[in-house]
């Protein structure tokens, strides 16, 4: 479920300094729980997801429509993998082509081989309780952050936060336009999908 953005203030995350000039777009408590040592399994699961390929028909259609509009209006395709996307536009308002320079030195190169399957993300870092990847397109620069949040009594829950920096008025308008569709279609489909595959994976252990 979606949780208030100020829930981030209850934890001291490394990502806070990395995205200090970004907007917090969404914070979601994912239907993924486990023990302290299960975070690596969570990351492996996120790497292997087939989304929206295995999502509901409305979510898949929305994805295809966005890619079609991206081709028509020169916004790029959100389904293009990071490996195929070439050189990214820089972080808005900076000359940085990546946020990796903002990551603490000891954590750089900890996620260089990580990417969500066939999705436009590049790894930033992995720590004991955090995982972050970045993406860039012609409407915004974004970061997907996973946190493994201590719930007490040895139980942890995955929390996903999306940070964005829109590219000017077009980027802001685009983010505002797609927000209702993300809340009504994309995120609910993603939550159901994650819950199903996490339950299946845990049941197989």
């Amino acid at each position: 479920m979606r949780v208030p953005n100020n829930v981030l203030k209850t934890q001291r995350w490394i990502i806070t300094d990395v995205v200090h000039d970004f907007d917090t777009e969404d914070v979601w408590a994912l239907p993924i729980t486990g023990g302290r040592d299960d975070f690596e399994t969570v990351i492996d699961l996120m790497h292997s997801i087939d989304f929206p390929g295995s999502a509901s028909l409305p979510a898949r259609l929305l994805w295809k429509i966005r890619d079609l509009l991206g081709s028509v209006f020169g916004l790029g395709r959100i389904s293009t993998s990071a490996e195929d996307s070439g050189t990214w536009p820089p972080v808005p308002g900076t000359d940085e082509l990546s946020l990796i320079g903002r990551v603490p030195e000891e954590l750089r190169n900890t996620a260089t081989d990580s990417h969500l399957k066939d999705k436009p993300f590049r790894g930033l870092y992995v720590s004991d309780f955090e995982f972050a990847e970045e993406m860039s397109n012609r409407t915004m620069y974004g970061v997907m952050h996973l946190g493994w949040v201590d719930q007490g009594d040895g139980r942890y829950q995955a929390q996903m936060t999306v940070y964005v920096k829109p590219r000017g008025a077009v980027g802001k308008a685009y983010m505002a336009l797609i927000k209702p569709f993300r809340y009504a279609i994309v995120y609910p489909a993603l939550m159901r999908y994650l819950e199903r595959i996490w339950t299946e994976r845990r049941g197989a252990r």
Side-chain angles (χ1 to χ4, degrees), residues 2 5 23-27 162-164 175 179 182-183:
R2 186 166 181 258
N5 289 357
D23 297 327
T24 303
E25 184 71 10
D26 298 302
V27 184
V162 178
Y163 300 94
V164 299
M175 295 302 297
K179 181 173 287 189
R182 288 190 295 110
Y183 288 170

Side-chain angles (χ1 to χ4, degrees), residues 12-201:
R12 177 54 182 158
W13 299 112
I14 297 167
I15 196 65
T16 303
D17 294 329
V18 176
V19 295
H20 59 83
D21 52 346
F22 280 59
D23 297 327
T24 303
E25 184 71 10
D26 298 302
V27 184
W28 293 85
L30 303 183
I32 297 175
T33 60
R36 176 186 175 93
D37 298 328
D38 287 329
F39 191 44
E40 184 176 348
T41 304
V42 176
I43 297 172
D44 288 343
L45 179 144
M46 296 301 288
H47 284 172
S48 66
I49 64 173
D50 179 21
F51 187 88
S54 296
S56 63
L57 179 60
R60 298 198 307 273
L61 286 176
L62 185 62
W63 222 260
K64 291 180 180 179
I65 291 171
R66 165 56 182 87
D67 276 346
L68 177 62
L69 293 175
S71 298
V72 172
F73 294 103
L75 300 177
R77 299 175 67 250
I78 56 175
S79 298
T80 302
S81 68
E83 288 79 5
D84 297 331
S85 60
T87 302
W88 284 356
V91 179
T94 78
D95 58 0
E96 299 169 278
L97 297 179
S98 169
L99 297 174
I100 194 66
R102 302 184 183 188
V103 174
E105 188 172 358
E106 65 274 15
L107 289 178
R108 296 175 193 173
N109 302 316
T110 56
T112 53
D113 61 345
S114 68
H115 60 281
L116 295 182
K117 183 180 179 182
D118 300 325
K119 300 299 185 294
F121 291 92
R122 292 175 180 165
L124 281 174
Y125 69 89
V126 178
S127 70
D128 291 342
F129 301 106
E130 293 184 57
F131 170 62
E133 294 190 322
E134 60 184 345
M135 69 169 293
S136 176
N137 58 41
R138 296 183 183 181
T139 58
M140 64 89 186
Y141 205 103
V143 173
M144 189 279 291
H145 175 264
L146 289 178
W148 199 224
V149 183
D150 189 351
Q151 304 293 303
D153 297 325
R155 178 176 172 271
Y156 286 72
Q157 182 171 16
Q159 177 179 287
M160 181 178 73
T161 306
V162 178
Y163 300 94
V164 299
K165 209 173 186 186
R167 297 191 186 281
V170 173
K172 291 179 180 179
Y174 170 76
M175 295 302 297
L177 176 66
I178 67 171
K179 181 173 287 189
F181 298 98
R182 288 190 295 110
Y183 288 170
I185 299 175
V186 176
Y187 280 122
L190 177 61
M191 296 302 132
R192 291 191 296 270
Y193 176 71
L194 289 176
E195 183 174 25
R196 175 171 59 83
I197 60 175
W198 181 251
T199 299
E200 291 173 354
R201 179 166 297 198

